Amino acid sequence: MSAIDRDRRNSRLASQVFTTLREDIVRGVLPPNAPLSELDLCDRLQVSRTPVREALIKLAEEGLVKIYPQFGSFVAPISLEAVAVGQYIREHLECALISDAARRMDADAIRRIQDSMEAQAKAVEDGDAEEFYSLDNKFHAMIAEFGGNPKVWNVISQTKTQFDRVRYLSVQEPGRNGKLLEQHKEIADNLIAGDGVKAKAALRRHLREVFTTVEKLGLTEATNALPPRRRRTAPGAAT
């Protein structure tokens, strides 16, 4: 294998490792402050250290991993500042999108919204938090699509990672998804009716729900912080 082919292969692997670890962090499979051993990750993902190291660096750039040289890597705490920023961006962009969507609703869009609501209701009835989380994302992505700007959802997705970490915690709470479903239903009903003003107001209330979740979960920057770094003991020193 040539050096170029090897670099391309490592780049693909690093991208795959990044995607897997990012999803695990957002979904809490790897919780805040969890240590990230390169060797353990290599064994788990069946890859060499190079793509793992590259993925960790990229995750650190996104604020999902903290790397301490000569000490170790850890899943970063949930940044409440980043949650607030993500919420702000979502609210302003999605509220603009939903106003456009309400004016552009046609028979196909109405059918797809109704199908989405039925699927969400089934997920809630079945107690399937994973499915509801996925359908929640698709519901909001549809609003961008119906608003005529699906690429705006890509922008939103890039800025809502910390927001999603809180959101994923919320859908695990008993009874929580039923409340979110009712909020989605209010948004959907107003969209179908073509009432952009009410749809925007309902969406704004829904997106601000994340702050209630943060408060309910007792998340603060202090309680959510990384554990203090251990000092390395010099050889022969007293412990």
Side-chain angles (χ1 to χ4, degrees), residues 167-223:
R167 190 165 64 90
Y168 190 77
L169 289 174
S170 75
V171 301
Q172 306 302 315
E173 294 181 9
R176 181 67 170 174
N177 292 339
K179 180 177 181 180
L180 297 178
L181 175 65
E182 286 303 311
Q183 293 174 355
H184 283 176
K185 186 176 185 303
E186 182 182 8
I187 294 167
D189 287 346
N190 285 304
L191 265 179
I192 291 171
D195 193 329
V197 174
K198 289 184 178 179
K200 181 190 291 188
L203 177 62
R204 181 176 287 114
R205 287 192 296 272
H206 173 62
L207 293 177
R208 291 183 179 181
E209 189 72 23
V210 70
F211 298 123
T212 301
T213 301
V214 166
E215 182 177 354
K216 188 172 182 179
L217 294 174
L219 295 176
T220 67
E221 296 291 0
T223 60

Short mmCIF file of all heavy atoms in Angstrom, two decimals, residues 167-223:
data_model
loop_
_atom_site.label_atom_id
_atom_site.label_comp_id
_atom_site.label_asym_id
_atom_site.label_seq_id
_atom_site.Cartn_x
_atom_site.Cartn_y
_atom_site.Cartn_z
N ARG A 167 -30.86 17.37 25.30
CA ARG A 167 -32.12 16.87 24.73
C ARG A 167 -32.21 15.35 24.84
O ARG A 167 -33.28 14.80 25.13
CB ARG A 167 -32.23 17.30 23.26
CG ARG A 167 -33.58 17.06 22.64
CD ARG A 167 -33.72 17.83 21.35
NE ARG A 167 -32.76 17.38 20.36
CZ ARG A 167 -33.00 16.40 19.48
NH1 ARG A 167 -34.16 15.76 19.50
NH2 ARG A 167 -32.11 16.04 18.61
N TYR A 168 -31.08 14.68 24.62
CA TYR A 168 -31.11 13.23 24.71
C TYR A 168 -31.37 12.78 26.15
O TYR A 168 -32.08 11.80 26.38
CB TYR A 168 -29.80 12.62 24.21
CG TYR A 168 -29.89 11.12 24.06
CD1 TYR A 168 -30.56 10.56 22.97
CD2 TYR A 168 -29.36 10.27 25.01
CE1 TYR A 168 -30.69 9.19 22.85
CE2 TYR A 168 -29.48 8.90 24.89
CZ TYR A 168 -30.14 8.37 23.81
OH TYR A 168 -30.27 7.01 23.70
N LEU A 169 -30.82 13.50 27.12
CA LEU A 169 -31.10 13.18 28.52
C LEU A 169 -32.59 13.34 28.81
O LEU A 169 -33.18 12.55 29.54
CB LEU A 169 -30.28 14.09 29.44
CG LEU A 169 -28.78 13.84 29.51
CD1 LEU A 169 -28.11 14.92 30.37
CD2 LEU A 169 -28.47 12.46 30.09
N SER A 170 -33.19 14.36 28.19
CA SER A 170 -34.60 14.64 28.49
C SER A 170 -35.52 13.55 27.97
O SER A 170 -36.52 13.23 28.61
CB SER A 170 -35.01 16.00 27.90
OG SER A 170 -35.17 15.93 26.50
N VAL A 171 -35.21 12.97 26.79
CA VAL A 171 -36.12 11.96 26.24
C VAL A 171 -36.05 10.64 27.00
O VAL A 171 -36.88 9.75 26.78
CB VAL A 171 -35.87 11.71 24.73
CG1 VAL A 171 -36.04 12.99 23.94
CG2 VAL A 171 -34.50 11.08 24.49
N GLN A 172 -35.06 10.51 27.89
CA GLN A 172 -34.96 9.29 28.70
C GLN A 172 -35.85 9.36 29.95
O GLN A 172 -36.07 8.35 30.60
CB GLN A 172 -33.50 9.06 29.13
CG GLN A 172 -32.50 9.04 27.99
CD GLN A 172 -32.81 7.99 26.94
OE1 GLN A 172 -33.11 6.85 27.27
NE2 GLN A 172 -32.74 8.38 25.67
N GLU A 173 -36.32 10.56 30.28
CA GLU A 173 -37.13 10.72 31.49
C GLU A 173 -38.54 10.17 31.27
O GLU A 173 -39.17 10.46 30.25
CB GLU A 173 -37.23 12.20 31.87
CG GLU A 173 -35.92 12.83 32.27
CD GLU A 173 -36.08 14.28 32.66
OE1 GLU A 173 -37.24 14.74 32.77
OE2 GLU A 173 -35.07 14.95 32.83
N PRO A 174 -39.05 9.40 32.23
CA PRO A 174 -40.41 8.86 32.10
C PRO A 174 -41.43 9.97 31.94
O PRO A 174 -41.43 10.96 32.67
CB PRO A 174 -40.60 8.12 33.44
CG PRO A 174 -39.22 7.79 33.90
CD PRO A 174 -38.37 8.94 33.45
N GLY A 175 -42.30 9.83 30.95
CA GLY A 175 -43.36 10.80 30.73
C GLY A 175 -42.95 12.03 29.96
O GLY A 175 -43.80 12.82 29.53
N ARG A 176 -41.65 12.23 29.78
CA ARG A 176 -41.16 13.44 29.14
C ARG A 176 -41.55 13.51 27.65
O ARG A 176 -41.93 14.57 27.14
CB ARG A 176 -39.65 13.51 29.27
CG ARG A 176 -39.00 14.74 28.68
CD ARG A 176 -39.38 15.97 29.44
NE ARG A 176 -38.60 17.11 29.03
CZ ARG A 176 -38.82 18.34 29.47
NH1 ARG A 176 -39.79 18.56 30.33
NH2 ARG A 176 -38.08 19.34 29.06
N ASN A 177 -41.46 12.38 26.98
CA ASN A 177 -41.74 12.39 25.54
C ASN A 177 -43.19 12.69 25.22
O ASN A 177 -43.51 13.21 24.15
CB ASN A 177 -41.30 11.06 24.91
CG ASN A 177 -39.80 10.91 24.94
OD1 ASN A 177 -39.07 11.88 25.04
ND2 ASN A 177 -39.32 9.68 24.85
N GLY A 178 -44.08 12.34 26.15
CA GLY A 178 -45.49 12.68 25.96
C GLY A 178 -45.68 14.19 25.89
O GLY A 178 -46.46 14.70 25.08
N LYS A 179 -44.95 14.91 26.74
CA LYS A 179 -45.04 16.38 26.73
C LYS A 179 -44.45 16.94 25.45
O LYS A 179 -45.03 17.85 24.84
CB LYS A 179 -44.30 16.95 27.94
CG LYS A 179 -44.33 18.46 28.02
CD LYS A 179 -43.64 18.97 29.27
CE LYS A 179 -43.72 20.51 29.34
NZ LYS A 179 -43.05 21.03 30.56
N LEU A 180 -43.31 16.40 25.02
CA LEU A 180 -42.69 16.86 23.78
C LEU A 180 -43.59 16.57 22.58
O LEU A 180 -43.67 17.36 21.65
CB LEU A 180 -41.33 16.19 23.59
CG LEU A 180 -40.28 16.52 24.66
CD1 LEU A 180 -38.99 15.76 24.38
CD2 LEU A 180 -40.00 18.02 24.72
N LEU A 181 -44.27 15.42 22.63
CA LEU A 181 -45.20 15.07 21.56
C LEU A 181 -46.32 16.09 21.46
O LEU A 181 -46.70 16.51 20.35
CB LEU A 181 -45.77 13.68 21.80
CG LEU A 181 -46.84 13.21 20.81
CD1 LEU A 181 -46.26 13.07 19.41
CD2 LEU A 181 -47.44 11.87 21.27
N GLU A 182 -46.87 16.51 22.59
CA GLU A 182 -47.94 17.51 22.58
C GLU A 182 -47.45 18.83 22.01
O GLU A 182 -48.18 19.52 21.28
CB GLU A 182 -48.47 17.71 24.01
CG GLU A 182 -49.33 16.56 24.51
CD GLU A 182 -50.52 16.30 23.60
OE1 GLU A 182 -51.22 17.28 23.25
OE2 GLU A 182 -50.74 15.14 23.23
N GLN A 183 -46.19 19.18 22.32
CA GLN A 183 -45.63 20.41 21.76
C GLN A 183 -45.46 20.29 20.24
O GLN A 183 -45.75 21.23 19.51
CB GLN A 183 -44.29 20.71 22.42
CG GLN A 183 -44.42 21.08 23.90
CD GLN A 183 -43.08 21.24 24.59
OE1 GLN A 183 -42.02 21.00 23.99
NE2 GLN A 183 -43.09 21.66 25.84
N HIS A 184 -45.01 19.13 19.79
CA HIS A 184 -44.88 18.90 18.35
C HIS A 184 -46.26 18.96 17.68
O HIS A 184 -46.39 19.47 16.56
CB HIS A 184 -44.24 17.54 18.09
CG HIS A 184 -42.76 17.52 18.30
ND1 HIS A 184 -42.00 16.37 18.18
CD2 HIS A 184 -41.88 18.50 18.61
CE1 HIS A 184 -40.74 16.65 18.41
NE2 HIS A 184 -40.64 17.93 18.68
N LYS A 185 -47.25 18.41 18.35
CA LYS A 185 -48.61 18.40 17.78
C LYS A 185 -49.12 19.84 17.61
O LYS A 185 -49.74 20.16 16.58
CB LYS A 185 -49.56 17.61 18.67
CG LYS A 185 -50.96 17.43 18.08
CD LYS A 185 -51.82 16.56 18.96
CE LYS A 185 -53.18 16.27 18.30
NZ LYS A 185 -53.93 17.50 17.96
N GLU A 186 -48.84 20.69 18.59
CA GLU A 186 -49.28 22.09 18.48
C GLU A 186 -48.59 22.76 17.29
O GLU A 186 -49.22 23.50 16.52
CB GLU A 186 -48.96 22.84 19.77
CG GLU A 186 -49.44 24.29 19.74
CD GLU A 186 -49.09 25.05 21.00
OE1 GLU A 186 -48.35 24.51 21.85
OE2 GLU A 186 -49.55 26.20 21.14
N ILE A 187 -47.29 22.49 17.14
CA ILE A 187 -46.55 23.05 16.01
C ILE A 187 -47.13 22.54 14.70
O ILE A 187 -47.38 23.31 13.76
CB ILE A 187 -45.05 22.67 16.12
CG1 ILE A 187 -44.41 23.33 17.34
CG2 ILE A 187 -44.30 23.06 14.84
CD1 ILE A 187 -43.05 22.77 17.69
N ALA A 188 -47.34 21.22 14.63
CA ALA A 188 -47.85 20.60 13.40
C ALA A 188 -49.24 21.11 13.04
O ALA A 188 -49.51 21.41 11.87
CB ALA A 188 -47.88 19.08 13.57
N ASP A 189 -50.12 21.22 14.02
CA ASP A 189 -51.48 21.69 13.75
C ASP A 189 -51.49 23.09 13.15
O ASP A 189 -52.24 23.39 12.22
CB ASP A 189 -52.32 21.66 15.03
CG ASP A 189 -52.69 20.25 15.47
OD1 ASP A 189 -52.53 19.32 14.64
OD2 ASP A 189 -53.14 20.09 16.62
N ASN A 190 -50.63 23.96 13.68
CA ASN A 190 -50.57 25.32 13.17
C ASN A 190 -49.91 25.39 11.80
O ASN A 190 -50.28 26.22 10.97
CB ASN A 190 -49.84 26.23 14.17
CG ASN A 190 -50.69 26.55 15.38
OD1 ASN A 190 -51.80 27.07 15.26
ND2 ASN A 190 -50.19 26.23 16.57
N LEU A 191 -48.95 24.50 11.56
CA LEU A 191 -48.36 24.42 10.23
C LEU A 191 -49.40 24.01 9.20
O LEU A 191 -49.52 24.61 8.13
CB LEU A 191 -47.20 23.41 10.23
CG LEU A 191 -45.79 23.92 10.43
CD1 LEU A 191 -44.80 22.76 10.41
CD2 LEU A 191 -45.40 24.96 9.39
N ILE A 192 -50.14 22.96 9.53
CA ILE A 192 -51.16 22.44 8.61
C ILE A 192 -52.22 23.50 8.34
O ILE A 192 -52.73 23.62 7.21
CB ILE A 192 -51.78 21.16 9.19
CG1 ILE A 192 -50.74 20.02 9.17
CG2 ILE A 192 -53.04 20.76 8.42
CD1 ILE A 192 -51.18 18.77 9.91
N ALA A 193 -52.51 24.30 9.36
CA ALA A 193 -53.50 25.37 9.20
C ALA A 193 -52.93 26.57 8.46
O ALA A 193 -53.67 27.50 8.11
CB ALA A 193 -54.03 25.80 10.56
N GLY A 194 -51.61 26.56 8.24
CA GLY A 194 -50.97 27.67 7.55
C GLY A 194 -50.83 28.92 8.40
O GLY A 194 -50.65 30.03 7.87
N ASP A 195 -50.90 28.74 9.73
CA ASP A 195 -50.81 29.88 10.65
C ASP A 195 -49.36 30.03 11.11
O ASP A 195 -48.94 29.43 12.10
CB ASP A 195 -51.73 29.68 11.84
CG ASP A 195 -51.92 30.94 12.67
OD1 ASP A 195 -50.97 31.75 12.72
OD2 ASP A 195 -53.00 31.12 13.25
N GLY A 196 -48.59 30.85 10.39
CA GLY A 196 -47.19 31.02 10.70
C GLY A 196 -46.93 31.67 12.05
O GLY A 196 -45.95 31.33 12.72
N VAL A 197 -47.79 32.59 12.45
CA VAL A 197 -47.61 33.30 13.73
C VAL A 197 -47.72 32.33 14.90
O VAL A 197 -46.87 32.29 15.79
CB VAL A 197 -48.63 34.44 13.88
CG1 VAL A 197 -48.54 35.07 15.26
CG2 VAL A 197 -48.39 35.50 12.80
N LYS A 198 -48.78 31.52 14.91
CA LYS A 198 -48.97 30.56 16.00
C LYS A 198 -47.94 29.44 15.93
O LYS A 198 -47.49 28.94 16.97
CB LYS A 198 -50.39 30.00 15.97
CG LYS A 198 -51.45 31.00 16.37
CD LYS A 198 -52.83 30.35 16.42
CE LYS A 198 -53.89 31.34 16.88
NZ LYS A 198 -55.25 30.72 16.91
N ALA A 199 -47.59 29.02 14.73
CA ALA A 199 -46.59 27.97 14.59
C ALA A 199 -45.25 28.43 15.15
O ALA A 199 -44.56 27.68 15.83
CB ALA A 199 -46.44 27.57 13.12
N LYS A 200 -44.89 29.68 14.86
CA LYS A 200 -43.62 30.22 15.36
C LYS A 200 -43.65 30.32 16.89
O LYS A 200 -42.66 29.98 17.55
CB LYS A 200 -43.37 31.60 14.76
CG LYS A 200 -42.05 32.22 15.20
CD LYS A 200 -41.93 33.69 14.80
CE LYS A 200 -41.79 33.81 13.31
NZ LYS A 200 -41.48 35.24 12.92
N ALA A 201 -44.75 30.76 17.45
CA ALA A 201 -44.86 30.90 18.91
C ALA A 201 -44.76 29.53 19.57
O ALA A 201 -44.07 29.37 20.60
CB ALA A 201 -46.17 31.57 19.28
N ALA A 202 -45.41 28.53 18.98
CA ALA A 202 -45.36 27.17 19.55
C ALA A 202 -43.95 26.60 19.45
O ALA A 202 -43.47 25.94 20.39
CB ALA A 202 -46.35 26.27 18.81
N LEU A 203 -43.28 26.84 18.35
CA LEU A 203 -41.92 26.35 18.17
C LEU A 203 -40.97 27.02 19.16
O LEU A 203 -40.10 26.37 19.74
CB LEU A 203 -41.46 26.61 16.73
CG LEU A 203 -40.01 26.21 16.41
CD1 LEU A 203 -39.82 24.71 16.58
CD2 LEU A 203 -39.65 26.64 14.99
N ARG A 204 -41.15 28.32 19.36
CA ARG A 204 -40.27 29.04 20.30
C ARG A 204 -40.42 28.47 21.70
O ARG A 204 -39.43 28.26 22.40
CB ARG A 204 -40.61 30.54 20.28
CG ARG A 204 -39.72 31.36 21.21
CD ARG A 204 -39.99 32.84 21.11
NE ARG A 204 -39.47 33.38 19.86
CZ ARG A 204 -40.22 33.85 18.87
NH1 ARG A 204 -41.54 33.85 18.98
NH2 ARG A 204 -39.67 34.32 17.78
N ARG A 205 -41.66 28.24 22.13
CA ARG A 205 -41.87 27.65 23.46
C ARG A 205 -41.21 26.28 23.55
O ARG A 205 -40.61 25.93 24.56
CB ARG A 205 -43.37 27.54 23.76
CG ARG A 205 -44.05 28.86 24.06
CD ARG A 205 -45.44 28.64 24.64
NE ARG A 205 -46.34 28.00 23.68
CZ ARG A 205 -47.08 28.68 22.79
NH1 ARG A 205 -47.00 30.00 22.72
NH2 ARG A 205 -47.89 28.03 21.97
N HIS A 206 -41.35 25.51 22.48
CA HIS A 206 -40.79 24.16 22.46
C HIS A 206 -39.27 24.19 22.58
O HIS A 206 -38.68 23.42 23.35
CB HIS A 206 -41.20 23.48 21.15
CG HIS A 206 -40.56 22.16 20.91
ND1 HIS A 206 -40.76 21.07 21.74
CD2 HIS A 206 -39.72 21.73 19.92
CE1 HIS A 206 -40.07 20.03 21.28
NE2 HIS A 206 -39.43 20.41 20.17
N LEU A 207 -38.62 25.07 21.83
CA LEU A 207 -37.16 25.11 21.84
C LEU A 207 -36.61 25.65 23.16
O LEU A 207 -35.48 25.33 23.54
CB LEU A 207 -36.65 25.95 20.66
CG LEU A 207 -36.89 25.36 19.27
CD1 LEU A 207 -36.42 26.31 18.19
CD2 LEU A 207 -36.19 24.01 19.13
N ARG A 208 -37.38 26.45 23.85
CA ARG A 208 -36.93 26.98 25.15
C ARG A 208 -37.11 25.96 26.26
O ARG A 208 -36.67 26.20 27.40
CB ARG A 208 -37.68 28.28 25.46
CG ARG A 208 -37.28 29.42 24.54
CD ARG A 208 -37.95 30.73 24.88
NE ARG A 208 -37.50 31.79 23.97
CZ ARG A 208 -37.90 33.06 24.03
NH1 ARG A 208 -38.76 33.44 24.95
NH2 ARG A 208 -37.43 33.95 23.16
N GLU A 209 -37.73 24.85 25.95
CA GLU A 209 -37.93 23.79 26.93
C GLU A 209 -36.59 23.24 27.43
O GLU A 209 -36.50 22.69 28.52
CB GLU A 209 -38.75 22.66 26.29
CG GLU A 209 -39.22 21.60 27.26
CD GLU A 209 -40.33 22.08 28.18
OE1 GLU A 209 -41.04 23.04 27.81
OE2 GLU A 209 -40.49 21.48 29.26
N VAL A 210 -35.52 23.40 26.63
CA VAL A 210 -34.22 22.88 27.03
C VAL A 210 -33.75 23.51 28.34
O VAL A 210 -33.07 22.86 29.14
CB VAL A 210 -33.17 23.11 25.90
CG1 VAL A 210 -32.83 24.58 25.75
CG2 VAL A 210 -31.90 22.30 26.17
N PHE A 211 -34.11 24.76 28.58
CA PHE A 211 -33.69 25.41 29.81
C PHE A 211 -34.39 24.80 31.02
O PHE A 211 -33.80 24.68 32.10
CB PHE A 211 -33.98 26.92 29.74
CG PHE A 211 -33.23 27.62 28.63
CD1 PHE A 211 -33.90 28.33 27.66
CD2 PHE A 211 -31.84 27.54 28.55
CE1 PHE A 211 -33.21 28.96 26.63
CE2 PHE A 211 -31.15 28.17 27.54
CZ PHE A 211 -31.83 28.88 26.57
N THR A 212 -35.64 24.40 30.84
CA THR A 212 -36.35 23.70 31.90
C THR A 212 -35.68 22.37 32.19
O THR A 212 -35.55 21.95 33.35
CB THR A 212 -37.83 23.46 31.49
OG1 THR A 212 -38.45 24.71 31.24
CG2 THR A 212 -38.59 22.72 32.59
N THR A 213 -35.24 21.69 31.14
CA THR A 213 -34.56 20.41 31.30
C THR A 213 -33.26 20.58 32.06
O THR A 213 -32.94 19.78 32.95
CB THR A 213 -34.28 19.78 29.92
OG1 THR A 213 -35.51 19.59 29.23
CG2 THR A 213 -33.58 18.44 30.08
N VAL A 214 -32.48 21.59 31.71
CA VAL A 214 -31.21 21.86 32.40
C VAL A 214 -31.46 22.07 33.89
O VAL A 214 -30.76 21.51 34.74
CB VAL A 214 -30.51 23.09 31.79
CG1 VAL A 214 -29.39 23.59 32.71
CG2 VAL A 214 -29.95 22.76 30.42
N GLU A 215 -32.49 22.85 34.20
CA GLU A 215 -32.81 23.13 35.61
C GLU A 215 -33.30 21.86 36.31
O GLU A 215 -32.89 21.57 37.44
CB GLU A 215 -33.88 24.22 35.68
CG GLU A 215 -34.24 24.62 37.10
CD GLU A 215 -35.26 25.75 37.14
OE1 GLU A 215 -35.59 26.29 36.06
OE2 GLU A 215 -35.73 26.07 38.25
N LYS A 216 -34.16 21.11 35.62
CA LYS A 216 -34.71 19.89 36.23
C LYS A 216 -33.63 18.86 36.50
O LYS A 216 -33.68 18.14 37.51
CB LYS A 216 -35.78 19.30 35.32
CG LYS A 216 -36.56 18.14 35.94
CD LYS A 216 -37.72 17.74 35.05
CE LYS A 216 -38.52 16.62 35.69
NZ LYS A 216 -39.68 16.22 34.85
N LEU A 217 -32.65 18.76 35.61
CA LEU A 217 -31.57 17.80 35.77
C LEU A 217 -30.51 18.28 36.76
O LEU A 217 -29.61 17.52 37.12
CB LEU A 217 -30.92 17.50 34.43
CG LEU A 217 -31.79 16.77 33.39
CD1 LEU A 217 -31.06 16.68 32.06
CD2 LEU A 217 -32.15 15.37 33.89
N GLY A 218 -30.61 19.53 37.17
CA GLY A 218 -29.65 20.08 38.11
C GLY A 218 -28.27 20.29 37.51
O GLY A 218 -27.26 20.25 38.22
N LEU A 219 -28.22 20.53 36.20
CA LEU A 219 -26.93 20.73 35.55
C LEU A 219 -26.43 22.15 35.81
O LEU A 219 -27.16 23.12 35.61
CB LEU A 219 -27.05 20.51 34.04
CG LEU A 219 -27.38 19.10 33.57
CD1 LEU A 219 -27.56 19.09 32.06
CD2 LEU A 219 -26.28 18.13 33.97
N THR A 220 -25.20 22.24 36.27
CA THR A 220 -24.52 23.53 36.41
C THR A 220 -23.10 23.36 35.91
O THR A 220 -22.60 22.23 35.79
CB THR A 220 -24.47 23.99 37.88
OG1 THR A 220 -23.62 23.10 38.63
CG2 THR A 220 -25.86 24.03 38.51
N GLU A 221 -22.43 24.46 35.62
CA GLU A 221 -21.05 24.36 35.16
C GLU A 221 -20.17 23.73 36.23
O GLU A 221 -19.23 23.00 35.94
CB GLU A 221 -20.51 25.75 34.78
CG GLU A 221 -21.22 26.41 33.62
CD GLU A 221 -20.97 25.71 32.29
OE1 GLU A 221 -20.24 24.71 32.25
OE2 GLU A 221 -21.52 26.19 31.27
N ALA A 222 -20.50 23.97 37.51
CA ALA A 222 -19.67 23.44 38.60
C ALA A 222 -19.87 21.94 38.77
O ALA A 222 -18.92 21.17 38.80
CB ALA A 222 -20.00 24.17 39.91
N THR A 223 -21.14 21.50 38.86
CA THR A 223 -21.40 20.08 39.08
C THR A 223 -21.08 19.25 37.86
O THR A 223 -20.89 18.04 37.95
CB THR A 223 -22.88 19.84 39.46
OG1 THR A 223 -23.71 20.31 38.39
CG2 THR A 223 -23.24 20.59 40.73
#
